[in-house]
């Protein structure tokens, strides 16, 4: 939110805008133990009820949660994913050092211990962080979980891009010696990375090269879910993941789907976060997005796992009187934007980039995806729901409808008065994103820029196409549709992996602009090292302005997800920690 005065309002705004996951943890389950998804006995109902409450509460055990997705995941391997919905889904079978509290409303952003017994113990300079994990933790095969498994999981997920390329790079960037370590598949030193110490089976110590005040947020990432080294075979591990959570895989078919069933080795006594009610979860991939909507309306599917909301084709129906009471219009804490790759000609000239900034009719983009119900027009990269947001507009146009005259002036300044031709990418299985791309294409055409749309599947968008610099350069992908939500609800958690030069990777990258500005890189590093929370908060808005000054990003929409919940779905609530989608830890079914 907006600088100092917004700090107190942040939690309320995020609760209203995003929702969260469960209720208080005070009620009892049917065995007399603590029930993480418990709370007041009255269940909420009606439109937008799941933003701040649990809808259709139930303590009934059994049944199957049916999930569908319009494409394949980047990976269900906890160490090889960067999609928010997979981070959410993986909590069923993978426990992490810390996690976000299952709690409705603003409490859903609270970080709580999972495998760990408490939050991290930091040194005064925030360069050393120590965690202790619980005793009695077991994998699905009954073998004990130790901190060595957590250390190994981080090493494989951050330092072996030849096998696992999709995840974030925070640990690699901040752990001492991370710039030299080659990962466990290449480095045969049995002790691994020296800056992660495991003095015993329940203690893990992280030694950082530079201060990192938000480190507890990193401990929530699925990259800290333990992996037994003896069972790991790199990219093939996704086919036989060893569960540490309440569910395990009974089947997995790459490209088709998976089934999860109860893990008998999981113990409620060691897990204060989860209360597993369903007996089974099934997930099916590559289901047409409109078909998923129809299955939800018919009650045949419990949830669209992608969490981005109904398609434009279905929107009018669900907003009608028959269905609207079962919808939640949730801010996703995400911004839909268009990345301009500064390494692809003619966008190596800032004036050509400015021409695009001024040409876009953002109202037409908003209209194409269904209007304001799907999001507000954006002028910044940071959305208003992230701490550090500052309101500004570096490329203002009247009514946000574009400015043809300014765009043509910029084209003349960059030596392309007659315009030029480029390529624009979008994800083929996301109708809303394709609609945005078409609206952008039409805007650019008005100023003489021809943008040929190249569509790619979401599951491989970053691993094989838009996130691969060599592919981008070879195929002249100058413009790329993108949507991004905060890794955690601060400006650093939003910005770092999409604007820091260190996040540029050979594949699986998210810095689609290939922005590597020394001033921006330093500003990010300096801000996260500052232990003054107020100073950090102000810095994020300042850095956002620095990014927009490069004209490599066209903010489009502060995204909303218009979600539909079928009557058969119970314990339904929004998780703001995972981009405004339904929380799978609580979700169950009355069927």
């Amino acid at each position: 939110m907006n600088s100092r005065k917004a700090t107190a309002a942040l939690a309320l705004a995020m609760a209203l805008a995003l929702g969260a996951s469960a209720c208080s943890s005070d009620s009892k389950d049917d065995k007399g133990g603590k029930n993480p998804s418990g709370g007041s006995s009255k269940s909420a109902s009606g439109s937008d009820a799941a933003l701040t409450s649990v809808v259709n509460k139930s303590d009934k055990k059994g049944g199957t949660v049916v999930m569908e997705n319009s494409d394949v995941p980047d990976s269900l391997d906890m160490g090889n994913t960067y999609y928010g919905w997979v981070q959410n889904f993986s909590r069923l079978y993978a426990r992490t050092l810390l996690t976000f509290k299952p709690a409705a409303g603003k409490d859903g952003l609270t970080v709580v211990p999972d495998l760990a017994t408490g939050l991290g113990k930091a040194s005064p300079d925030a360069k050393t962080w120590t965690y202790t994990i619980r005793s009695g933790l077991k994998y699905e095969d009954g073998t004990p979980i130790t901190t060595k498994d957590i250390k190994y999981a981080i090493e494989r997920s951050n330092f072996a891009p030849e096998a696992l390329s999709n995840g974030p790079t925070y640990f690699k960037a901040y752990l001492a010696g991370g710039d030299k370590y080659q990962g466990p598949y290449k480095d045969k030193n049995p002790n691994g990375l020296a800056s992660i110490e495991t003095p015993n089976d329940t203690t893990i110590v992280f030694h950082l090269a530079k201060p990192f005040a938000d480190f507890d947020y990193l401990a929530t990432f699925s990259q800290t879910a333990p992996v037994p080294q003896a069972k790991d075979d790199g990219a093939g591990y996704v086919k036989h993941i060893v569960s540490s959570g309440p569910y395990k895989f009974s089947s997995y078919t790459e490209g088709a789907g998976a089934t999860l069933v109860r893990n008998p080795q999981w113990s409620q006594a060691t897990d204060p976060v989860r209360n597993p009610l369903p007996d089974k979860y099934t997930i099916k991939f590559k289901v047409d997005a409109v078909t998923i909507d129809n299955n939800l309306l018919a009650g045949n599917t419990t949830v669209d796992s992608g969490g981005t909301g109904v398609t434009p084709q279905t929107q009018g129906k669900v907003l009608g009187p028959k269905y609207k009471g079962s919808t939640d219009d949730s801010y996703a804490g995400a911004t839909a934007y268009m990345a301009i790759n500064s390494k692809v000609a003619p966008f190596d000239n800032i004036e050509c980039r400015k021409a695009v900034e001024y040409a876009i009719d953002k109202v037409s983009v908003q209209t194409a995806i269904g209007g304001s119900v799907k999001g507000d027009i954006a002028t910044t990269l940071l959305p208003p729901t992230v701490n550090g947001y500052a309101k500004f507009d570096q490329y203002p146009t009247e009514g946000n409808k574009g400015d043809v005259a300014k765009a043509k002036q910029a084209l003349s300044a960059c030596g392309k008065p007659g315009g030029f031709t480029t390529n624009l990418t979008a994800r083929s299985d996301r109708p809303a994103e394709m609609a945005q791309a078409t609206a952008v294409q039409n805007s650019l055409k008005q100023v003489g820029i021809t943008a040929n749309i190249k569509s790619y599947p979401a599951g491989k968008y970053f691993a094989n196409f838009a996130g691969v610099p060599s592919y981008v350069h070879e195929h002249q992908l100058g413009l790329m549709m993108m949507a991004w939500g905060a890794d955690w609800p601060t400006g650093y958690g939003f910005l770092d992996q999409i604007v820091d030069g260190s996040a540029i990777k050979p594949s699986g990258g998210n810095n689609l602009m290939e922005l590597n500005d020394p001033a921006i890189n330093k500003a990010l590093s300096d801000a996260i090292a500052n232990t003054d929370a107020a100073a950090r908060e102000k810095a994020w808005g300042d850095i956002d302005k620095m990014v927009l000054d490069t004209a490599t990003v066209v903010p489009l929409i502060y995204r909303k997800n218009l979600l539909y919940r079928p009557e058969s779905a119970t314990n339904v609530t929004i998780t703001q920690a995972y981009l405004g989608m339904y929380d799978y830890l609580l979700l169950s079914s009355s069927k």
Side-chain angles (χ1 to χ4, degrees):
M1 293 293 282
N2 193 353
S3 196
R4 289 294 301 147
K5 67 180 181 179
T7 302
L10 174 65
L12 176 60
M14 295 195 80
L16 293 175
L18 300 175
S21 47
C23 287
S24 71
S25 57
D26 295 330
S27 66
K28 306 287 186 177
D29 64 17
D30 59 357
K31 294 184 179 179
K34 290 285 185 180
N35 181 353
S37 63
S40 62
S41 60
K42 185 177 180 181
S43 179
S45 62
S47 178
D48 289 340
L51 299 185
T52 55
S53 307
V54 178
V55 177
N56 199 10
K57 279 188 186 177
S58 172
D59 58 4
K60 179 182 176 182
K61 290 192 173 182
T64 298
V65 171
V66 179
M67 311 176 84
E68 293 180 321
N69 195 286
S70 62
D71 195 46
V72 297
D74 51 357
S75 177
L76 294 184
D77 183 334
M78 311 82 67
N80 195 30
T81 182
Y82 213 160
Y83 271 117
W85 77 262
V86 183
Q87 294 274 330
N88 189 9
F89 183 67
S90 70
R91 296 195 297 165
L92 299 172
Y93 55 88
R95 296 180 62 185
T96 48
L97 277 172
L98 307 178
T99 193
F100 288 95
K101 180 181 180 181
K106 63 182 181 181
D107 289 343
L109 288 174
T110 304
V111 174
V112 296
D114 190 353
L115 291 174
T117 59
L119 300 183
K121 295 179 180 178
S123 61
D125 63 0
K127 289 178 66 176
T128 302
W129 291 78
T130 303
Y131 298 85
T132 301
I133 67 170
R134 307 172 194 276
S135 58
L137 299 168
K138 296 180 181 179
Y139 289 112
E140 65 177 77
D141 60 3
T143 57
I145 295 170
T146 74
T147 48
K148 291 180 177 60
D149 301 325
I150 298 170
K151 170 183 166 74
Y152 178 74
I154 293 168
E155 290 170 344
R156 72 186 287 273
S157 66
N158 275 252
F159 300 94
E162 70 278 7
L164 309 170
S165 64
N166 293 321
T169 58
Y170 295 113
F171 287 105
K172 181 176 182 178
Y174 277 88
L175 283 166
D179 57 336
K180 297 181 176 64
Y181 179 57
Q182 296 298 305
Y185 307 134
K186 291 183 178 179
D187 187 331
K188 299 307 180 183
N189 183 339
N191 296 320
L193 183 61
S195 54
I196 306 178
E197 289 186 306
T198 54
N200 55 57
D201 285 348
T202 58
T203 304
I204 187 166
V205 185
F206 299 93
H207 298 280
L208 309 184
K210 45 193 173 182
F212 193 88
D214 279 358
F215 196 83
D216 269 342
Y217 286 113
L218 293 194
T220 70
F221 268 93
S222 63
Q223 292 176 315
T224 70
V227 174
Q229 185 170 4
K231 301 291 181 67
D232 180 33
D233 57 352
Y237 184 67
V238 70
K239 300 175 183 177
H240 50 84
I241 292 170
V242 184
S243 171
S244 57
Y247 296 94
K248 65 178 183 177
F249 287 89
S250 66
S251 68
Y252 169 77
T253 303
E254 189 169 358
T259 298
L260 275 65
V261 297
R262 291 188 183 276
N263 172 11
Q265 295 293 336
W266 172 85
S267 170
Q268 182 77 74
T270 69
D271 192 340
V273 176
R274 297 160 182 80
N275 178 42
L277 293 176
D279 288 334
K280 183 187 297 185
Y281 284 80
T282 66
I283 185 166
K284 186 176 181 181
F285 306 141
K286 297 191 78 67
V287 181
D288 179 77
V290 175
T291 300
I292 295 175
D293 290 348
N294 291 334
N295 286 340
L296 288 168
L297 293 174
N300 297 324
T301 296
T302 315
V303 66
D304 174 2
S305 66
T308 55
V310 300
T311 63
Q313 296 93 317
T314 310
Q315 179 177 310
K317 182 183 291 187
V318 301
L319 290 177
K322 181 177 179 180
Y323 296 113
K324 187 175 182 180
S326 296
T327 63
D328 300 291
D329 194 20
S330 166
Y331 277 99
T335 301
Y337 62 93
M338 185 170 68
I340 306 178
N341 190 290
S342 58
K343 307 299 182 185
V344 174
F347 298 121
D348 50 353
N349 185 318
I350 191 172
E351 294 298 330
C352 285
R353 301 197 298 268
K354 287 182 178 179
V356 173
E357 297 276 3
Y358 283 116
I360 305 301
D361 178 350
K362 296 182 181 180
V363 174
S364 73
V365 175
Q366 183 188 49
T367 301
I369 61 172
S372 60
V373 73
K374 299 303 289 288
D376 301 329
I377 290 174
T379 60
T380 63
L381 193 50
L382 285 178
T385 49
V386 169
N387 188 282
Y389 162 81
K391 185 177 180 179
F392 63 88
D393 189 351
Q394 300 293 79
Y395 308 98
T397 65
E398 186 174 352
N400 291 307
K401 292 185 176 182
D403 189 319
V404 172
K406 284 186 178 180
K408 288 188 174 181
Q409 287 174 8
L411 283 173
S412 294
C414 82
K416 299 285 185 179
F420 54 84
T421 297
T422 189
N423 292 316
L424 167 62
T425 72
R427 284 168 277 197
S428 57
D429 54 290
R430 296 191 174 185
E433 187 165 284
M434 291 297 295
Q436 288 180 82
T438 300
V440 166
Q441 181 186 51
N442 290 335
S443 290
L444 295 175
K445 186 177 181 180
Q446 303 306 309
V447 302
I449 300 173
T450 299
N452 297 315
I453 296 176
K454 307 293 184 181
S455 60
Y456 304 103
K460 301 298 181 182
Y461 191 64
F462 302 104
N464 291 3
F465 306 109
V468 183
S470 60
Y471 185 93
V472 169
H473 302 163
E474 180 183 354
H475 293 84
Q476 294 293 292
L477 306 182
L479 306 173
M480 288 169 275
M481 300 303 293
M482 178 66 164
W484 190 254
D487 286 342
W488 58 86
T490 73
Y492 188 90
F494 189 98
L495 292 169
D496 181 71
Q497 293 292 292
I498 56 173
V499 304
D500 194 325
S502 66
I504 299 171
K505 300 191 294 184
S507 66
N510 297 282
N511 183 343
L512 302 189
M513 300 83 68
E514 293 186 62
L515 184 60
N516 191 10
D517 186 307
I520 293 173
N521 298 343
K522 184 177 186 301
L524 283 163
S525 182
D526 289 349
I528 197 60
N530 194 330
T531 55
D532 184 327
R536 287 202 309 276
E537 182 182 330
K538 180 182 183 302
W540 311 137
D542 294 341
I543 294 169
D544 196 0
K545 289 180 182 177
M546 294 171 69
V547 173
L548 268 295
D549 281 341
T550 68
T552 56
V553 171
V554 183
L556 297 171
I557 302 291
Y558 301 129
R559 208 178 71 192
K560 289 183 180 179
N561 299 331
L562 179 61
L563 305 169
Y564 176 79
R565 41 182 149 86
E567 292 182 5
S568 61
T570 61
N571 297 317
V572 183
T573 192
I574 303 293
T575 169
Q576 50 188 314
Y578 296 95
L579 309 185
M581 63 185 68
Y582 290 131
D583 190 339
Y584 309 148
L585 281 189
L586 300 173
L587 193 66
S588 52
S589 176
S590 61
K591 282 191 171 184

